[in-house]
Amino acid sequence: MNKDVILIVGSNGQLGTVLTEKLRLNYGAVNVIASDLYKKIGSEDNFITLDATDFKAVEEVVLKNKITQIYHLAAILSAKGEQNPLGTWDLNMKTLFNVLEVSRLHKVKKVFFPSSIAVFGENIDKENTLQSSNLTPTTVYGMSKVAGENWANYYFKKYGLDVRSLRYPGVIGYQSLPGGGTTDYAVDIFHKAVKNESFECFLDASTMLPMMYMDDVIRATLELMEADKEKLTIRTSYNIAGMSFNPEQIALSIKEYYPDFKIAYKPDFRQVIANSWPKCIDDTAARNDWNWKPEYNLNLMTKTMIENLK
């Protein structure tokens, strides 16, 4: 029986670090190749240095290793992306095009492309934002994800390439530091709390945003990739939901463990980005098509984060 050989593009990031470990548990370390621009100190073997903007380099890795699945995670995120809009667009789109085209040419069976709640803009219902809501994002990162969703759908419809995608909310995990996203305050706040430091939040206290704990994120990703192809009705990107909370609520949750924890609010340019995003997400399609259901709420996530960071 032929075994899957998986390539993870952009494995050094917050998601890639955990996803690599989980895929190696499921498929065997020898069958999961991590790649990024540089090798992290202490990273596992079976790592390839790869510049995903280089088409020939991506093609060579796929052919040499007989890759059957690609998880394409490389991207510049929302807040960081606004510091260099054109560079963000170029990198996010070129790497995606290279992955899609190499996969088409060399019969890669499945491609995973992460989208984001950043695809949504101001002119939506922000309560239980629907799968079919209008997509007019306010950031270059969001624009690149909307374009990516449409290209994923195009490659599926025109070429039959099995591209699958989730619109991730804010991702919270203990395994790595924040990576330049607008929801990253919800990771940094835990690092400050366990060090008995105060926290200055770049969003105001009432900014409600969709979030998801890392274990749920990884499980959702793998469940989608393992789902029956015939049951998938969304070929742009699935809405996916975990929980929604604001900075004041997460601070109160942390105070259950650190009663003296202090938070101050100093909104910056990221507040404008957050204001354009949904407060909570309707993920009915994911629940219907592949039985998605989150396991973590705010209190369980806070307990787990603090236990692991300590």
Side-chain angles (χ1 to χ4, degrees), residues 50-52 54-63 98-99 102:
L50 177 64
D51 178 359
D54 183 339
F55 178 87
K56 287 294 183 185
V58 176
E59 185 176 47
E60 183 180 338
V61 170
V62 168
L63 289 174
N98 288 346
V99 166
V102 167

Side-chain angles (χ1 to χ4, degrees), residues 12 46 56 93 105 119 150 160 165 191 254 264 290:
N12 285 353
N46 211 15
K56 287 294 183 185
M93 297 312 300
L105 290 170
V119 297
N150 285 316
S165 180
H191 286 267
I254 288 169
W290 42 277

Side-chain angles (χ1 to χ4, degrees), residues 39-101:
K39 185 172 183 178
K40 288 199 299 187
I41 296 172
S43 61
E44 298 275 349
D45 292 333
N46 211 15
F47 179 93
I48 292 173
T49 302
L50 177 64
D51 178 359
T53 65
D54 183 339
F55 178 87
K56 287 294 183 185
V58 176
E59 185 176 47
E60 183 180 338
V61 170
V62 168
L63 289 174
K64 182 178 179 181
N65 297 280
K66 298 185 170 75
I67 299 297
T68 63
Q69 294 188 34
I70 299 178
Y71 288 74
H72 174 57
L73 310 180
I76 298 173
L77 302 183
S78 58
K80 196 172 181 181
E82 291 307 287
Q83 297 167 17
N84 181 12
L86 296 183
T88 296
W89 176 264
D90 287 344
L91 184 140
N92 289 3
M93 297 312 300
K94 190 168 183 60
T95 57
L96 175 62
F97 287 142
N98 288 346
V99 166
L100 291 176
E101 193 63 3

Side-chain angles (χ1 to χ4, degrees), residues 14-15 117 166-175 183 186-187 190 209-221 238-245 281 283 286-287 290 292-298 301 305:
Q14 181 193 25
L15 178 63
I117 59 168
L166 297 173
R167 289 172 179 162
Y168 287 136
V171 177
I172 303 167
Y174 62 86
Q175 295 90 343
T183 56
V187 177
F190 286 107
L209 288 170
M211 301 282 188
M212 187 178 288
Y213 183 60
M214 180 65 81
D215 285 13
D216 275 346
V217 170
I218 298 299
R219 185 169 56 83
T221 304
Y238 278 94
N239 274 9
I240 191 85
M243 65 192 101
S244 288
F245 55 79
I281 295 287
D283 59 359
R287 291 171 182 265
W290 42 277
W292 162 247
K293 187 178 181 181
E295 293 180 354
Y296 282 80
N297 58 24
L298 175 56
M301 181 193 73
M305 284 290 289

Side-chain angles (χ1 to χ4, degrees), residues 6 46 56 78 123 135 137 184 209 235-236 243 251 259 282 308:
I6 296 169
N46 211 15
K56 287 294 183 185
S78 58
N123 53 344
L135 305 181
D184 278 349
L209 288 170
R235 285 297 179 168
T236 49
M243 65 192 101
D282 181 288
N308 282 281

Side-chain angles (χ1 to χ4, degrees), residues 296-310:
Y296 282 80
N297 58 24
L298 175 56
N299 290 334
L300 179 57
M301 181 193 73
T302 297
K303 179 177 182 288
T304 309
M305 284 290 289
I306 289 173
E307 285 175 352
N308 282 281
L309 286 175
K310 283 173 70 176

